Amino acid sequence: MRIVLTGGAGFIGSNMCRTLLSRGHEVIVFDNLLTGSRRNIGNLLTEGGFTFVEHDVAEPFDVDGPVDRVMHLASPASPADFGRLSLEIMAVGSNGTRNGLELARAKGARFFLASTSEVYGDPALHPQPESYFGNVNPVGPRGVYDESKRFAEALTFAYHRRYGVDIRVARIFNCYGPQMRVDDGRAITNFLWQALSGKPLTIYGTGMQTRSFCFVDDEVEGLLALMECDHTGPMNIGSTFEHTLNDLAEIVLNVTGSDSPIEFMPLPQDDPAQRCPDLTLARSVLGWEPTVLLEEGVARTAAYFETLLDSQ
Ligand code: UDP
């Protein structure tokens, strides 16, 4: 297939590109490198079937010739960026989604939206099924991301109902792995970088809040299974291996052999207390479920970070 991928130089996007190319697809990436990087796609640039266009998809974009799939993965995704990149996040979630949908509509292509567990906000229901409408503070610091993804979902379904665009919507839960930015500000990247450089691990709040971390190889498999199945979604694509942040810090210390101390810091506003997908739908429709345990995924991510430290 000929696949247009927004955000292909980002963390999940670049892992997705590698898998799509290995399966024989042609991939055309649009990315403005705001949080993505050329390093993530450096070794793909010389491969046949891969095209990179530096472009902000919040501005209209087009490609010559037929397109089979438009995958919209572009967006900053770390809470640490929600202040610094607030308006960029809202632009890529609104105009970027619309531009991707227009391309899909013009080409008769299937449109795939990478949405997020953040649509559930600080969930009152646990674990979260797709039918849960969420608990989001629209005017809080996370609102820029949560609401832009909620808007993107609404817009995607509006194009489906109004124009008959074929759509798939995935909700991603705390994905991690190689090709994350070391300074991206999320828990896994902060803890790993801190452990590897002998600095204190910064736990926000009590560390009793939970997340369900999904290794990127599992995530990409799940997203592609959804893209090629007959269900529009929204569908949770994440891991049910739920851990407290205290657990995560301990796993990072064990895996890296670091003796960094723990430093407790204030909990950011609206930080969700718990998060875990109800995977019933993904299991029954896709027969998919993640297999990489947190210890193994953290070890593989640590190995990637070590190569970055070595090259500095
Ligand atoms: N967190 C932490 N220390 C850090 C970064 C994050 O304790 O250095 C906490 C954060 O407050 C949240 C959890 O880890 O409760 C996951 O945060 P992350 O930014 O990775 O993703 P989120 O699930 O909040 O989008």
Side-chain angles (χ1 to χ4, degrees):
M1 290 190 292
R2 207 154 177 256
I3 300 175
V4 170
L5 183 59
T6 76
F11 159 50
I12 300 180
S14 58
N15 281 281
M16 177 64 74
C17 285
R18 189 159 302 113
T19 301
L20 291 173
L21 290 169
S22 74
R23 294 183 185 180
H25 301 299
E26 182 183 345
V27 180
I28 305 163
V29 163
F30 288 83
D31 195 308
N32 66 353
L33 303 178
L34 184 62
T35 53
S37 69
R38 282 181 193 277
R39 186 181 56 216
N40 282 349
I41 50 167
N43 53 354
L44 305 178
L45 287 170
T46 51
E47 283 198 28
F50 183 78
T51 307
F52 171 66
V53 184
E54 189 172 339
H55 177 80
D56 179 359
V57 297
E59 302 298 330
F61 58 100
D62 200 2
V63 297
D64 289 334
V67 174
D68 301 292
R69 303 281 182 265
V70 177
M71 301 185 74
H72 185 37
L73 271 64
S75 180
S78 170
D81 288 335
F82 292 172
R84 182 176 76 94
L85 299 176
S86 54
L87 299 181
E88 291 81 356
I89 288 169
M90 301 210 83
V92 78
S94 55
N95 296 334
T97 303
R98 182 160 203 156
N99 291 332
L101 281 161
E102 280 296 334
L103 179 66
R105 183 182 167 209
K107 301 286 183 182
R110 180 172 295 173
F111 179 80
F112 179 95
L113 175 68
S115 184
T116 170
S117 56
E118 281 282 327
V119 299
Y120 303 124
D122 186 5
L125 186 63
H126 192 74
Q128 295 82 55
E130 290 83 354
S131 55
Y132 178 50
F133 294 161
N135 177 32
V136 170
N137 174 3
V139 296
R142 302 176 85 96
V144 293
Y145 184 70
D146 302 8
E147 297 295 3
S148 77
K149 289 291 189 181
R150 288 167 70 98
F151 178 86
E153 289 195 11
L155 190 65
T156 300
F157 273 84
Y159 267 67
H160 177 57
R161 294 188 186 109
R162 171 82 63 101
Y163 300 123
V165 173
D166 189 19
I167 60 162
R168 300 289 182 273
V169 175
R171 291 179 178 159
I172 298 171
F173 285 66
N174 289 81
C175 181
Y176 72 99
Q179 264 128 251
M180 288 182 101
R181 279 185 296 143
V182 292
D183 61 348
D184 116 335
R186 280 179 274 194
I188 287 205
T189 45
N190 278 1
F191 290 178
L192 272 173
W193 197 246
Q194 289 158 348
L196 292 173
S197 48
K199 299 202 172 77
L201 270 57
T202 53
I203 292 183
Y204 303 160
T206 62
M208 290 308 291
Q209 68 272 36
T210 69
R211 293 294 187 274
S212 304
F213 299 98
C214 186
F215 190 64
V216 67
D217 290 4
D218 279 334
E219 186 71 46
V220 165
E221 286 296 329
L223 296 178
L224 290 177
L226 169 58
M227 188 163 79
E228 297 312 323
C229 83
D230 288 334
H231 198 291
T232 59
M235 192 181 291
N236 293 336
I237 303 290
S239 152
T240 50
F241 308 138
E242 186 180 2
H243 292 268
T244 66
L245 268 292
N246 290 326
D247 279 350
L248 175 67
E250 202 178 307
I251 288 170
V252 167
L253 291 176
N254 285 340
V255 163
T256 56
S258 166
D259 55 9
S260 285
I262 303 278
E263 189 175 298
F264 287 92
M265 296 176 68
L267 188 69
Q269 187 190 336
D270 297 335
D271 198 277
Q274 52 185 0
R275 181 182 288 157
C276 183
D278 180 329
L279 270 196
T280 310
L281 187 63
R283 282 192 189 109
S284 67
V285 174
L286 310 178
W288 167 88
E289 109 169 86
T291 57
V292 180
L293 295 175
L294 187 57
E295 289 77 359
E296 186 193 335
V298 166
R300 287 163 69 177
T301 312
Y304 168 74
F305 274 27
E306 274 165 359
T307 63
L308 295 182
L309 258 181
D310 288 346
S311 65
Q312 280 191 344

